[in-house]
Amino acid sequence: MEHLVSPSLLAADFTNLENEIRMINRSEADWLHLDIMDGVFVPNISFGFPVIKAVKKVASKPLDVHLMIIDPDRYLSRFCEAGANNLTVQYEACTHLQRTVTEIRNLEMKAGVALNPHTPVSLLKNVLPCIDMVLIMTVNPGFGGQLFIMESYNKIAELRKMIDEAGYNVLIEVDGGIDTTNAAKLIQSGVNVLVAGNSVFNSADPVATIRKLKRLL
Ligand code: DX5
Ligand code: ZN
């Protein structure tokens, strides 16, 4: 399967958001990744519903929304109304994960579960049939521009094996410290979706960087 690229808007120029989104629209990006942080689950606050709704008006790509918030169940339908196409919750923030992902699917969004670097992939074994995507955090969530954690390769390999042996149709997405130097190895390890913030938006030519991440040779 051809891999997908989901640039993270967190690294965009927020004074120039419309142009940044139009740049993504004309690029080879597949999705647009939106990081929602509540200042409780992670030590940072990003943006919320008014911004997502404004982004939705301009974006032509599906919105890939990553919730780094506690108690996400309170807001699932509001993220749907705001325009989310994929909704990913953090494993560590969900007490009744199976119910949460089922509700996301009932709202006709793709359901994703994100794992912090310390959370083993084996914990997802019994929920894999109920989800569309696993997001392996390759940094500790909360900030863009951090260093990729090398142990992530072992987690990806283990998860790839779990998914393939059971025959599930679940995508593996990676997020944090992804750039053109590690992307090819990640895809070879079995990743389906690359999230990239700083390496795209802070590059000299973001459209060309997205093309490079898409066409890894
Ligand atoms: C981190 C976020 C990431 C972040 C990635 O908590 O989940 O999506 O924006 O940024 P880079 O690619 O700069 O590490
Ligand atoms: Zn993210």
Side-chain angles (χ1 to χ4, degrees), residues 161-182:
K161 195 160 171 268
M162 272 169 72
I163 291 172
D164 290 351
E165 280 179 4
Y168 295 128
N169 190 15
V170 174
L171 298 174
I172 302 180
E173 184 174 37
V174 285
D175 183 6
I178 314 294
D179 58 27
T180 52
T181 69
N182 54 20

Side-chain angles (χ1 to χ4, degrees), residues 14-149:
F14 279 33
T15 61
N16 201 8
L17 208 47
E18 181 174 352
N19 283 334
E20 296 280 59
I21 299 162
R22 293 201 191 283
M23 176 277 290
I24 297 295
N25 288 352
R26 61 174 190 273
S27 78
E28 292 179 37
D30 298 278
W31 297 341
L32 178 59
H33 187 83
L34 302 185
D35 288 301
I36 312 301
M37 304 177 182
D38 66 355
V40 180
F41 183 76
V42 287
N44 199 8
I45 298 176
S46 57
F47 48 82
F49 301 115
V51 175
I52 302 172
K53 283 182 187 163
V55 169
K56 188 69 179 180
K57 283 189 196 156
V58 183
S60 61
K61 316 273 176 165
L63 300 187
D64 178 37
V65 178
H66 174 197
L67 301 184
M68 284 156 277
I69 66 173
I70 59 160
D71 207 2
D73 302 85
R74 294 168 66 192
Y75 301 108
L76 301 179
S77 59
R78 301 227 7 229
F79 282 108
C80 183
E81 285 156 25
N85 299 89
N86 310 336
L87 198 59
T88 295
V89 293
Q90 287 279 157
Y91 175 89
E92 304 81 8
C94 297
T95 311
H96 304 287
L97 183 64
Q98 202 275 348
R99 181 157 65 205
T100 305
V101 293
T102 301
E103 179 61 19
I104 293 172
R105 280 183 153 184
N106 287 343
L107 290 164
E108 294 180 3
M109 295 179 285
K110 274 194 205 304
V113 178
L115 300 179
N116 274 344
H118 72 275
T119 305
V121 294
S122 57
L123 291 172
L124 291 181
K125 182 169 175 259
N126 301 98
V127 86
L128 280 180
C130 312
I131 64 178
D132 302 292
M133 185 157 73
V134 176
L135 172 52
I136 296 199
M137 285 308 301
T138 46
V139 298
N140 284 289
F143 303 93
Q146 301 182 81
L147 254 162
F148 180 90
I149 295 172

Side-chain angles (χ1 to χ4, degrees), residues 183-202:
K185 187 172 173 195
L186 287 162
I187 298 302
Q188 281 156 17
S189 314
V191 165
N192 307 107
V193 189
L194 301 169
V195 175
N198 278 273
S199 67
V200 166
F201 286 95
N202 292 335

Side-chain angles (χ1 to χ4, degrees), residues 3 28 180 183 207-217:
H3 71 273
E28 292 179 37
T180 52
V207 170
T209 304
I210 293 168
R211 189 182 311 126
K212 275 189 202 149
L213 290 170
K214 259 314 264 189
R215 305 185 194 176
L216 298 165
L217 294 175

